[in-house]
């Protein structure tokens, strides 16, 4: 089969690799019909190379049709249409029963002290072959895949794999008061969807902050009040406070994460670390790694006293300095974590089957064959060609 493989920093390649097979009686094989390119994939493309091997199959946003099932699979049949969550979660352990699928005790990567395994990610999260491929092996076939109805196009459901539950959890964790205010930092796929969901759930003022004109215009088209970071600069905090009663927003969602703009010295350090031998670079990143924290620092500055910051952007540093004096003084509440995909499916499914209030069918900016993945990664990383959300059709 064809699959998108990691080959090195800023180097992905579509290669022919062996088809996956059933390895446990609870497995299923999915023929992938649509699979997304995620902002988290860019962390692999740019920063996290020391935890990957050449040839690793990328991608964690797939959906498709069941092609084969193991002998113990009772609730899934060949021909069923399913979405595959990015967490590899069993659905039955202590953590999964409490809605913490990203902490699944069955698939925790204990070697590295981390939570549930993830499709198409690094050794830190199980190094499980991903979904930017023609076929995907899916464990826990009776409890992990999300069955979806036939009829509507893939674009209606594919975001259940990551974008929708990640954005939903970010908004829930933000704890926006009824008719309250929220500022979303970063208007890529997750940030854009956060603005739509915040408005849908009753936020009175939804603010989006970015510096890419096309992304600002896209969010503004859905009713978000946008602020261009490159235009406001150091005056941004004052401008946002003026728009939120002089106090700042009730909540801030950081949908940017470890590769925020600015922090040029940290960016240089990340680049240099990535040039070291993998074993040395991995050790350094696990013990002394730092992130570009511009977005998080901005969130701390923006949020009103007693407000909440919700982190959905991925951070990976182990030595990140935080302004704890300010955070303590402002009485900031901070919530974060990988999305517990399966937990939120029942909340989200009515928004996909009873009309399309979130505009998911028009959410993708690009539909491409898998062979164009190298160009898509480069354009998404550079924010070229209005590349916000790419869907591949293998």
């Amino acid at each position: 089969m064809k699959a998108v493989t990691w080959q090195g920093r800023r180097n992905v390649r579509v290669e022919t690799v062996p088809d996956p097979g059933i390895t446990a009686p609870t497995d299923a094989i999915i023929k992938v019909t649509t699979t997304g390119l995620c902002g988290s994939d860019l962390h692999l493309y740019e920063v996290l190379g020391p935890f990957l091997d050449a040839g690793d199959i990328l991608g964690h946003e797939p959906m498709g049709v069941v092609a084969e099932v193991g002998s113990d699979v009772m609730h899934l049949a060949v021909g069923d249409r399913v979405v595959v969550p990015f967490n590899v979660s069993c659905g039955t352990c202590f953590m999964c029963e409490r809605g913490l699928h990203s902490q699944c005790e069955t698939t925790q990567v204990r070697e590295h002290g981390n939570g549930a395994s993830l499709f198409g990610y690094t050794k830190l999260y199980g190094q499980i072959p991903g979904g930017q491929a023609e076929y995907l092996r899916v464990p826990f076939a009776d409890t992990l895949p999300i069955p979806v109805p036939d009829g509507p196009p893939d674009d209606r459901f594919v975001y259940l794999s990551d974008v929708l539950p990640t954005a939903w959890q970010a908004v829930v964790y933000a704890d926006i008061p009824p008719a309250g205010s929220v500022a979303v930092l970063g208007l890529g796929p997750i940030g854009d969807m956060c603005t739509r969901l915040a408005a849908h759930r009753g936020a009175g003022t939804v603010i989006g902050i970015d510096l890419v004109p096309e992304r600002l215009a896209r969010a503004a088209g859905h009713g978000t009040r946008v602020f261009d970071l490159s235009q406001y600069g150091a005056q941004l905090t004052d401008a946002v406070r003026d728009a939120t009663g002089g106090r700042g927003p009730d909540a801030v969602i950081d949908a940017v994460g470890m590769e925020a703009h600015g922090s040029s010295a940290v960016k240089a350090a990340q680049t240099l670390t990535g040039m070291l031998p993998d074993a040395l670079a991995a050790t350094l990143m696990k013990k002394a790694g730092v992130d570009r924290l511009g977005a998080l620092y901005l969130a701390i500055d923006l949020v009103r006293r007693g407000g909440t910051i919700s982190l959905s952007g991925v951070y990976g540093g182990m030595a990140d300095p935080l302004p704890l004096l300010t955070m303590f003084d402002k009485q900031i509440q901070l919530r974060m974590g990988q999305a517990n995909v399966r937990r939120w499916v029942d909340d989200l499914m009515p928004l996909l089957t009873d009309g399309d209030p979130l505009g998911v069918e028009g959410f993708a900016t690009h539909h491409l064959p898998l062979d164009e993945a190298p160009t898509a990664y480069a354009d998404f990383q550079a924010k070229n060609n209005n590349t916000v959300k790419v869907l591949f059709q293998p």
Side-chain angles (χ1 to χ4, degrees), residues 21-357:
I22 298 288
T23 61
T26 52
D27 289 347
I29 304 297
I30 308 299
K31 178 177 173 55
V32 178
T33 55
T34 298
T35 184
L37 173 56
C38 178
S40 296
D41 293 324
L42 295 186
H43 303 324
L44 312 184
Y45 189 67
E46 181 73 19
V47 175
L48 297 177
F51 302 106
L52 291 159
D53 292 324
D56 281 353
I57 299 174
L58 304 179
H60 56 266
E61 297 187 348
M63 70 171 294
V65 177
V66 177
E68 184 180 355
V69 296
S71 58
D72 288 354
V73 177
M74 299 289 105
H75 304 298
L76 207 61
V78 172
D80 286 351
R81 189 184 191 198
V82 296
V83 176
V84 182
F86 75 89
N87 320 113
V88 184
S89 57
C90 71
T92 57
C93 70
F94 176 92
M95 291 294 178
C96 288
E97 287 180 346
R98 285 155 181 78
L100 295 170
H101 298 82
S102 67
Q103 310 302 323
C104 174
E105 290 184 324
T106 306
T107 73
Q108 281 178 15
V109 187
R110 291 178 172 83
E111 176 187 358
H112 297 288
N114 288 339
S117 297
L118 309 176
F119 286 106
Y121 224 62
T122 68
K123 296 172 186 176
L124 299 177
Y125 287 98
Q127 204 171 24
I128 296 182
Q132 289 172 5
E134 293 181 305
Y135 291 91
L136 176 69
R137 183 185 74 86
V138 179
F140 313 111
D142 276 334
T143 53
L144 179 58
I146 304 165
V148 296
D150 292 327
D154 281 8
D155 285 38
R156 180 70 70 92
F157 299 113
V158 68
Y159 304 115
L160 283 171
S161 60
D162 183 350
V163 173
L164 281 168
T166 296
W168 183 274
Q169 179 170 298
V171 173
V172 170
Y173 281 11
D175 196 24
I176 307 161
S181 56
V182 60
V184 179
L185 308 183
L187 295 172
I190 301 300
D192 186 320
M193 188 56 73
C194 283
T195 65
R196 302 184 192 201
L197 282 168
H200 177 80
R201 288 172 55 91
T205 301
V206 180
I207 292 169
I209 299 169
D210 206 302
L211 38 66
V212 180
E214 295 85 356
R215 297 185 178 195
L216 291 161
R218 173 180 163 105
H222 286 273
T224 299
R225 181 170 181 178
V226 297
F227 289 80
D228 186 339
L229 181 60
S230 62
Q231 175 185 340
Y232 284 91
Q235 283 71 53
L236 178 67
T237 298
D238 288 339
V240 172
R241 283 179 181 158
D242 287 344
T244 52
R247 298 185 184 91
D250 297 307
V252 176
I253 297 172
D254 173 0
V256 179
M258 67 171 73
E259 293 178 85
H261 284 267
S263 308
S264 57
V266 176
K267 180 179 180 180
Q270 289 176 339
T271 301
L272 290 171
T273 300
M275 294 178 179
L276 296 172
D278 282 354
L280 179 59
T283 299
L284 184 63
M285 291 175 72
K286 286 180 72 175
K287 294 184 177 180
V290 292
D291 298 303
R292 289 175 245 170
L293 296 173
L296 181 53
Y297 288 160
L298 178 57
I300 293 166
D301 192 30
L302 284 174
V303 70
R304 68 160 170 82
R305 292 178 177 274
T308 302
I309 295 174
S310 173
L311 302 185
S312 65
V314 175
Y315 284 96
M318 289 295 286
D320 289 333
L322 292 177
L324 288 174
L325 187 153
T326 299
M327 296 168 71
F328 183 86
D329 178 68
K330 291 186 73 173
Q331 203 167 328
I332 291 171
Q333 300 177 75
L334 182 61
R335 296 197 71 183
M336 67 189 84
Q338 297 278 9
N340 303 299
V341 174
R342 260 303 195 164
R343 175 176 183 170
W344 307 115
V345 169
D346 290 345
D347 296 295
L348 289 163
M349 193 64 79
L351 303 180
L352 306 176
T353 54
D354 299 337
D356 185 15

